[in-house]
Amino acid sequence: MPQTIRQLTRELGLPFAILTIPGIVLSLLLPYFPVDETRYLGVAWEMWNNHSFIVPLQNGLPYSHKPPMLFWLVNLDWLLLGINEGTMRFIPLIFSLCNLTLVYRIAIKLWNDEQVARYAALILASMLPYLLWSSVIMFDVILAFWVLLAVLAVISAAREHRLAWYLQLGIAIGGGILTKGPVVLVYVLPVALLGFLWVPRERFSGKWFAWLGLSILIGVGVLLFWLVPAALTGGETYRRAILWGQTVHRMANSFAHKRPIWWYLPWIPTLLMPWPLFPPAWRAWKRLSGDSGFRMLLVWGAGSLVIFSLLSGKQVHYLIPVLPTFSLLMARSVAEEQGEAARFRYPIAGLYLFLGAGLITASLIKHGRLLKHFDLVEIRIAAAGLVVLGTVLLLLRPRTMPALVRQIAVASLACCILVIVGGNTMFQRYDLHPIAAAVRQKQAEGYQVLHAGKYHGQFHFLGRLSQPLVELPSRDQIRAYAATHDKIALITYEKDTQRIDPKDYYFLQPFRSRQAVMWTRDGIAVYLGEATDKKESTEATDAE
């Protein structure tokens, strides 16, 4: 084993384990969650099934909302390992592990301090949202990889002007665009364009911006390897969408402030949990303001946050690629803390005790009606586990800061496992395998399967479907379609308190806090006949 890999394994073994264990548990126990995970797996499946490896497909049509990188990775997994569901969650997990390595490398580049680098990787791995997101089939952890690769290149270029760093930056930008579109620039450009705020004056000149321009051109060149054949083969509508709709339209609509400008601020402490409750993570920030690496991280993180706050399309997971900046800032601050470390364990131990007590109380109020879709036994086991976790943290008295940081990080892993245990029954209500199999059977029998409202492709991979579903946004359209077709079945999502006669449906299963129903022809008449006291079918899609 090469020396570098041996060193990384020794330095990052614990953070790797913290991310990998939940990934294995998630892969073994939990379904893929609608709408996002099932949608992206459905797109990848349709690409595979139709041999359309340039143009992504959804429900039989070109899918222009996301670039192809994630779908290519899923198809590569199937090419190497065969069609399976067990290894999908390891795709983001592998990128998440790479992110830890890149955070470690960035910390070494900034401060040449292995202890800070170890803290940074450990803090990032044990942020509870990052820990859970690392095994979810979405774009953000993969995008974070390209962002970190780009930032590492910028830092390296600030030390030494070499073509290799700008080439790395360009490839990272191209990879980021192929993963989630031009949004990668929101994370990368602040730290690059505002280099004069953190790069030492003697190393900064006007050539900096010329080199950045070259990197962006390289990134565009990487993108063109996919964009040109996709535009040529995807048809006119798809061509307009990927060349125009995914850039100009989105940017033009992104400053409409559908959510308030401060919307992200309350989410930041939650995303960093449990570390906002660790005093050394914040105590030294003021003293470190003169550190150029510290200033670079502030520019990187604050610049990204300001831009995202100005954009209207806000989602919590958009901040996943920003979390490494906080882990690096916190690690630098923690490394400054001297003296007795054990006293800093109280706030986080108290958090776990509070959460455990709160869950036990909620499970007892009106016989657990607040948690009616959860299994109360599972909830109480998780609650008891949280109380034990908090108690153990209180009883342990680590003598050194590294030991305390390790204990808190391992406690995050235990908390993550308890979340999976406590929510297992509820999570199973997201499993769409049964109804996806029912859709496949009805299609094989020659039925047209209709879907009330927007269909997000949630059944396609789970049911290994090869035919599209018919999307009908309104009751009038369902009524008109039913009047002209004989062999039809309709899928809607109804309140779980609604009683439905078994003769009116082919299939029914619990789904989230509702029930997913596949109606028979007579059942469709019943469904349409109750239109006056039902919500419009478009709202059924919102229930997903």
Side-chain angles (χ1 to χ4, degrees):
M1 181 183 294
Q3 176 67 22
T4 304
I5 295 178
R6 278 204 301 271
Q7 181 183 357
L8 281 175
T9 304
R10 186 173 62 251
E11 298 286 338
L12 301 178
L14 181 56
F16 279 7
I18 288 173
L19 288 181
T20 303
I21 292 171
I24 294 172
V25 174
L26 284 167
S27 296
L28 293 176
L29 298 181
L30 296 188
Y32 291 106
F33 289 91
V35 173
D36 290 327
E37 284 195 297
T38 51
R39 169 169 50 200
Y40 301 142
L41 288 175
V43 172
W45 164 251
E46 290 197 57
M47 290 174 72
W48 175 274
N49 198 42
N50 293 283
H51 306 286
S52 179
F53 300 111
I54 298 297
V55 178
L57 302 173
Q58 185 187 56
N59 206 30
L61 298 173
Y63 177 72
S64 61
H65 292 276
K66 291 291 185 296
M69 178 67 78
L70 175 61
F71 313 128
W72 284 343
L73 292 169
V74 173
N75 275 263
L76 178 63
D77 182 285
W78 290 335
L79 178 67
L80 297 175
L81 304 175
I83 302 296
N84 76 92
E85 298 184 19
T87 58
M88 297 298 99
R89 294 193 187 280
F90 292 101
I91 295 171
L93 178 60
I94 289 170
F95 281 88
S96 185
L97 298 178
C98 292
N99 291 346
L100 296 187
T101 305
L102 288 169
V103 163
Y104 182 90
R105 291 295 304 157
I106 288 173
I108 292 292
K109 284 273 185 182
L110 291 177
W111 300 297
N112 195 27
D113 187 328
E114 291 184 355
Q115 185 62 271
V116 175
R118 283 193 291 270
Y119 283 159
L122 204 49
I123 290 172
L124 179 62
S126 55
M127 287 177 180
L128 287 168
Y130 185 83
L131 211 171
L132 289 167
W133 236 284
S134 290
S135 301
V136 175
I137 308 295
M138 290 183 71
F139 302 89
D140 305 280
V141 169
I142 300 174
L143 180 62
F145 167 79
W146 297 113
V147 171
L148 288 167
L149 196 66
V151 171
L152 181 61
V154 171
I155 297 170
S156 302
R159 290 167 169 258
E160 184 183 11
H161 284 297
R162 287 176 53 193
L163 178 61
W165 304 130
Y166 297 100
L167 183 62
Q168 176 179 322
L169 175 59
I171 291 172
I173 290 173
I177 296 174
L178 286 173
T179 299
K180 204 178 175 182
V183 71
V184 66
L185 298 174
V186 174
Y187 304 97
V188 174
L189 286 188
V191 72
L193 293 178
L194 301 179
F196 56 88
L197 294 178
W198 59 272
V199 177
R201 187 171 301 175
E202 63 275 12
R203 297 181 191 163
F204 191 83
S205 71
K207 293 181 180 178
W208 174 263
F209 297 106
W211 284 105
L212 290 182
L214 174 64
S215 295
I216 292 175
L217 288 177
I218 293 171
V220 172
V222 172
L223 172 66
L224 290 177
F225 278 104
W226 164 74
L227 191 64
V228 171
L232 292 175
T233 59
E236 180 62 25
T237 302
Y238 182 69
R239 181 162 48 249
R240 282 202 306 270
I242 61 174
L243 294 180
W244 192 253
Q246 293 303 306
T247 52
V248 177
H249 286 171
R250 286 199 172 191
M251 291 300 292
N253 293 328
S254 288
F255 294 90
H257 294 296
K258 293 178 181 175
R259 280 176 167 161
I261 195 169
W262 46 265
W263 189 82
Y264 280 120
L265 295 179
W267 281 106
I268 291 175
T270 304
L271 286 169
L272 304 182
M273 278 294 173
W275 296 100
L277 298 177
F278 189 57
W282 308 104
R283 285 160 59 101
W285 276 39
K286 191 173 181 180
R287 293 201 306 272
L288 294 171
S289 58
D291 181 309
S292 64
F294 208 80
R295 289 202 308 276
M296 188 281 285
L297 291 168
L298 285 178
V299 170
W300 176 14
S304 303
L305 277 174
V306 167
I307 296 173
F308 275 113
S309 296
L310 292 173
L311 302 178
S312 62
K314 297 180 176 68
Q315 297 289 345
V316 173
H317 54 86
Y318 291 175
L319 296 187
I320 293 294
V322 183
L323 295 186
T325 65
F326 286 95
S327 74
L328 287 158
L329 289 168
M330 288 177 169
R332 185 74 178 94
S333 182
V334 170
E336 286 289 306
E337 191 65 48
Q338 304 295 326
E340 198 237 340
R343 68 185 189 280
F344 297 123
R345 73 193 188 283
Y346 292 117
I348 294 177
L351 169 69
Y352 293 133
L353 288 172
F354 175 78
L355 291 176
L359 274 180
I360 289 174
T361 304
S363 74
L364 295 175
I365 294 176
K366 294 183 179 179
H367 304 286
R369 286 182 60 184
L370 289 173
L371 302 164
K372 68 176 185 177
H373 293 304
F374 290 80
D375 184 311
L376 294 184
V377 174
E378 292 172 352
I379 285 289
R380 287 164 185 161
I381 290 173
L386 287 168
V387 171
V388 170
L389 185 61
T391 304
V392 170
L393 275 180
L394 281 178
L395 295 176
L396 294 174
R397 290 183 58 84
R399 295 181 178 179
T400 65
M401 185 60 72
L404 178 58
V405 172
R406 286 196 295 272
Q407 286 178 10
I408 292 173
V410 172
S412 289
L413 169 62
C415 180
C416 179
I417 299 298
L418 290 171
V419 168
I420 296 172
V421 170
N424 181 60
T425 296
M426 180 60 186
F427 296 149
Q428 298 307 324
R429 294 178 68 93
Y430 286 76
D431 186 1
L432 289 175
H433 277 96
I435 194 167
V439 172
R440 180 185 175 93
Q441 179 181 337
K442 298 314 292 182
Q443 288 185 335
E445 293 170 0
Y447 282 76
Q448 290 285 335
V449 179
L450 320 181
H451 191 276
K454 176 66 177 174
Y455 172 60
H456 295 281
Q458 56 266 41
F459 307 129
H460 256 78
F461 174 61
L462 301 182
R464 308 295 193 270
L465 305 184
S466 56
Q467 303 175 40
L469 273 66
V470 180
E471 291 183 21
L472 296 172
S474 71
R475 289 176 181 277
D476 287 341
Q477 287 173 299
I478 294 171
R479 188 176 290 107
Y481 196 95
T484 55
H485 294 77
D486 292 327
K487 299 186 73 172
I488 56 174
L490 171 69
I491 294 175
T492 70
Y493 306 90
E494 307 300 320
K495 291 181 179 177
D496 64 346
T497 54
Q498 179 181 342
R499 183 185 172 281
I500 301 175
D501 194 319
K503 69 179 178 57
D504 290 332
Y505 62 79
Y506 291 119
F507 191 84
L508 180 149
Q509 72 164 85
F511 175 59
R512 294 179 57 173
S513 60
R514 290 183 169 242
Q515 51 188 338
V517 185
M518 180 189 287
W519 301 88
T520 64
R521 169 169 279 285
D522 290 341
I524 293 173
V526 173
Y527 169 79
L528 294 172
E530 295 176 355
T532 55
D533 59 0
K534 285 173 175 273
K535 294 182 177 180
E536 283 298 313
S537 58
T538 51
E539 294 181 11
T541 301
D542 295 335
E544 298 174 18

